[in-house]
Amino acid sequence: MTGENVSFEKFVQRIYAGIPERTSTVEQKERAIEAKKRILNHPDCPKESRNQILKEIEIIKSEIGVIKSDADNGKMNSSIFPKRNNLG
């Protein structure tokens, strides 16, 4: 921050500003992860909150993986040929 004495609660509010409560895009999810990491690194972050925040980060990372996987599968299945049956 800018050297001013800011309460932890105000710090968290500033970090989350502009990030929706529910994220839906990879970009929003990556911003949420970065915000959570900054909160973890704050000296006043309660120790009892750290495990929950780390779990939230892992959940968001897995959501990003699903989004990217779905996007890749969509690209693979977008050919002009129909899906093939396992005919051997």
Side-chain angles (χ1 to χ4, degrees):
M1 306 292 318
T2 60
E4 59 191 61
N5 190 4
V6 178
S7 72
F8 180 69
E9 291 79 22
K10 291 230 184 261
F11 172 78
V12 171
Q13 288 175 353
R14 286 182 184 176
I15 295 297
Y16 282 139
I19 300 174
E21 192 171 312
R22 294 197 172 266
T23 57
S24 58
T25 66
V26 171
E27 178 185 86
Q28 289 173 338
K29 291 179 183 301
E30 288 173 342
R31 285 179 43 220
I33 289 171
E34 288 306 312
K36 290 179 183 298
K37 286 180 179 179
R38 288 183 65 195
I39 291 168
L40 279 173
N41 290 328
H42 192 281
D44 293 334
C45 180
K47 290 182 181 178
E48 58 273 6
S49 299
R50 292 180 186 275
N51 284 338
Q52 180 62 34
I53 293 171
L54 289 169
K55 286 178 187 176
E56 291 170 4
I57 289 171
E58 289 307 312
I59 290 169
I60 296 169
K61 284 181 178 180
S62 70
E63 291 172 350
I64 290 171
V66 169
I67 290 171
K68 288 182 177 182
S69 175
D70 287 349
D72 289 345
N73 287 337
K75 290 177 190 173
M76 292 174 62
N77 292 329
S78 64
S79 66
I80 60 172
F81 301 104
K83 288 185 179 180
R84 298 179 186 153
N85 294 329
N86 188 6
L87 300 175

